Structures are given as structure tokens and as C-alpha cells.
Amino acid sequence: MTTPIVIDTDPGVDDAVAIMLALASPEVELKAVTSVFGNVALDATTANAGRLLAFCDRADVPLAAGAARPLVHPQAERAGEVHGWDGLGGRATTLPEPVAPQPQPAVELLASVLRAADQPVTLVPIGPLTNIALLLAVHPELAGRIARIVWMGGSLGAGNTVDTTGGSPPRSAAGLIHQTRVGGAAEFNAHCDPEAAHRVLTQADVPVTMVPLDLTLRCAAGPEWIEALAAGGPRGAALAGVITHYRAAFRARYGVDAVAVHDAVAVLEAVRPGTLTTTPTPMAVACDLGPARGATVGLPEGAGVPVQVALDADTVAVLAEILERLQHLD
Ligand code: BDR
Ligand code: CA
């Protein structure tokens, strides 16, 4: 029996790897894709998700657009310098014209998928948690239809966003951070919408697995992996092309010729539950407007609802498994 999943995403180069991994994995049935603002603006993430579905000949997978901004406070920071101005390494228009999104908003597509499914559905958010927080708030009656939430985001160690403690990065008129530097306390997806992350990570109705930066940065695919992907066929070659800009950005930031496939690690856990080793840990999310905004903090046992935090895996095997599946995309 296949596992029904929905991917909520902000493509995003590693989102592209993750979506294509799901489409290459017979253990799961991708019931829908929903988009959210994040790496780039919502119109671009929606179009990119639509292009990826078209590219994989999967126009049958329904797509709907979700939140264009966070729940509470504006957050102007995007990640074009990492993912390319268009979110796909400057290569979005080399992919086919996008599958059109459905008219209903993401939350309603999610609700209809949950209602129609013949078994509980796994949600795999790989961007800011805005759509998922809205779903839980608007449709609490559907919580029992969600098998689990597997979220790529958060960090128990360092983040990958701004460090506002060491200076004064420019702030937008809208109020918040406007520039990316390494060293901030928050991981990007948590930083984009801390209130949404708080809503999802502290509720008790649906089990949550958090796949944090601490682990995904260890899942960095090197030159041989990228070359093998490119040699795997036309789709692998196109995906390797999309990765090019992200690879240069990763090298500039971390000094390593590799690409962390953050979001694909979460999808692999949804495809093969138990791939990642988790530690139950109650989580808190910093929701103040100070320098730690968006930081995810592990609390002592008993201090809250435990989240399954994926802190370990056989990272060599994870990367090999992702590659092997992507090589069979064509
Ligand atoms: C996360 O942030 C985004 O830039 C990536 O797509 C990933 O979801 C990693 O911190
Ligand atoms: Ca993402």
C-alpha cells in the first residue's frame, strides 16, 4: 500500500530535488502540491512548483497557491542569492510552462485531499509553516486525517539566516530583516514565520517530525553526486543544471564544493519512515522581534509536547538513496 503525501513548498532548488524525489518514489502517492512564500515570492514559488510538475509529466497532481506572507509580522528576507533570482538557479524558464494552480487556496486543497483520502495523509512542509498552521487552525476537525507532519526546518544549533547581534542590517519599511548573513540563530523556514512554526510544533493533535539544519547540513552532495545525477538522463541533467547556482552559493557561504539537499531529506523520511533517527524533544520557537527571532529551542523532557527531532542518520546512505531514485526519473 502506498503512503499518501502532500508537499507544501517554496521552490527553491532543494525543494525541486525534494519534489522530484517524491515523484520518483513508488512508496508514496503525491496527492497534491501546495505553495508558500519563502525562498522567493509566492507567485514564483507557485510557478516553479507548476513547472516541476509539468517537467515530470505530472499535470495530474493538483497544485494550489497558499500564503504570500507570514501569519503575523512581515518578513522581507528572501533567499534569491542562494536559490537564484527566480528560485531555480536562473533556469526556471528552461523548464516547461507551469501547470496552472487550482482556483481554491492551498488550505482548502489540503482540506479536500484530507477529506477524500482513504487513509491518513502525511504532510511534508519544506518551507515556512504558514499554510500548515492555517490548516490546523481553520480545520481542526481534520487533524485525525493527518498521519504525521514531516517538516524540514528549525535548528538546535546555529541557524542560516541573519545575525542581528553583530550590527545593524538594513530593515525594510515593513519593519523586519532585509539582508542575509550567516550566523543568525534561526533556520530560514522557521525565521520566515516563527508564529506559524510555534503553532505547529507545540500542538498535540498531529505528530510532528522536525528535520533540522543540524542534520540536513550533513547531507551535502558533492561533485561526484552531482555528476552522477547529470548523467542519469534528461531530467537528472536538467536538475543538475538548476543546482549550479545553488552549488556556487553554498561554496561561497560554507567553503565546501557541495549542496545540502535539505528538503529532500525530509521527503525521504516520508517515503521511508524511520530513515532518520529521532529524539523526542519539546520545542519552543522565539517569536519576539529580537535577534533570536525564529530560533527553535529544545526544551527539557516534560516541558511540552514532544516533537520527533531528526538529529542523526546514515548520511552517506541517505545521499545514495536520493541519488539512486533521481537517476530513475526518466
Ligand atoms: C531551508 O531553507 C530554504 O532556503 C531551503 O529550501 C530549505 O527549505 C533550509 O534552511
Ligand atoms: Ca524549501
Side-chain angles (χ1 to χ4, degrees), residues 12 37 44 49 53 76-77 80 116 133 136 154 158 185 198 214 221 226 243 281 294:
F37 79 95
L53 290 174
E77 182 190 344
L136 296 176
H198 175 84
D214 316 60
I226 298 168
I243 285 173
T281 312

Side-chain angles (χ1 to χ4, degrees), residues 10 12-15 39 79 82-83 126-127 152-153 160 187-189 213 216 246 262-263:
D10 62 334
V13 173
D14 58 322
D15 301 74
N39 287 318
V82 175
H83 294 268
I126 52 177
M152 189 283 129
N160 59 353
E187 180 278 330
F188 182 78
N189 291 338
L213 206 56
T216 62
Y246 184 73
H262 308 285
D263 294 341

Side-chain angles (χ1 to χ4, degrees), residues 162 189 195 197 216 222 270 290 293 304 329:
V162 291
N189 291 338
E195 284 78 13
T216 62
R293 180 165 170 77
L329 272 167

